[in-house]
Structure formats: structure tokens, C-alpha cells
Amino acid sequence: MTETANELVLKCTVIARDGADFPTVWDAVLKSHALVVGPPIQTFDDEERPQLEIRLVTGQRLVYKSDSNEYAVLLASHRRPF
């Protein structure tokens, strides 16, 4: 069975809750994952706070918000890269 984007976010969230920072999650889970298309790109949320977006082969985006150490899935990117 192939892992979904939501399952990938859950995996990242569990590791982050155990104290891992983004570089650790990137190296351990995301960098070589089959769903990940490329490296993280800095974008901004609706309040103009920086976040990292990672494109997925599904057309979705995995988003990491450093201020809250949270991961989420977006349908498509609405932000311009910095």
C-alpha cells in the first residue's frame, strides 16, 4: 500500500512531537520519500509569516510552520516563493 500525503504529515508530526526539528525530519523522512518532488521552498501564510512548502507528486503541498512546529497538507500552493 502506498503512503498518502496525510499519512506522511502524521509521520512528520509524530517525529516533531518527539523533539525533532525540520532539518531532522527532512533528512529522516522527507528527503528521499517517494511522494516528495523537490526541496522545501520558503513561502508566506495569510498573515505573512514564513513557512516551508514541499511539493508532492500528488499535486498537494506539505507545509511546515516553524513558529508552531506543525505540518499540514495543502491542495495547491497559493503563495509566491521568497
Side-chain angles (χ1 to χ4, degrees), residues 1-8 11 33-36 57-58:
M1 184 168 123
T2 304
E3 191 169 39
T4 67
N6 288 332
E7 291 167 335
L8 181 59
K11 185 183 285 186
H33 197 280
L35 286 177
V36 175
V57 297
T58 60

Side-chain angles (χ1 to χ4, degrees), residues 6-28:
N6 288 332
E7 291 167 335
L8 181 59
V9 166
L10 289 174
K11 185 183 285 186
C12 293
T13 299
V14 167
I15 294 170
R17 285 184 183 157
D18 285 342
D21 59 4
F22 180 80
T24 302
V25 174
W26 173 255
D27 287 337

Side-chain angles (χ1 to χ4, degrees), residues 2 4 8 23 29 39 41 46-47 79:
T2 304
T4 67
L8 181 59
V29 177
I41 299 168
D46 292 337
E47 285 93 35
R79 310 285 175 260

Side-chain angles (χ1 to χ4, degrees), residues 43-51 53 63 65 67 79:
T43 61
F44 296 91
D45 66 12
D46 292 337
E47 285 93 35
E48 296 300 319
R49 292 177 297 201
Q51 62 186 15
E53 285 190 15
V63 176
K65 296 181 181 251
D67 61 342
R79 310 285 175 260

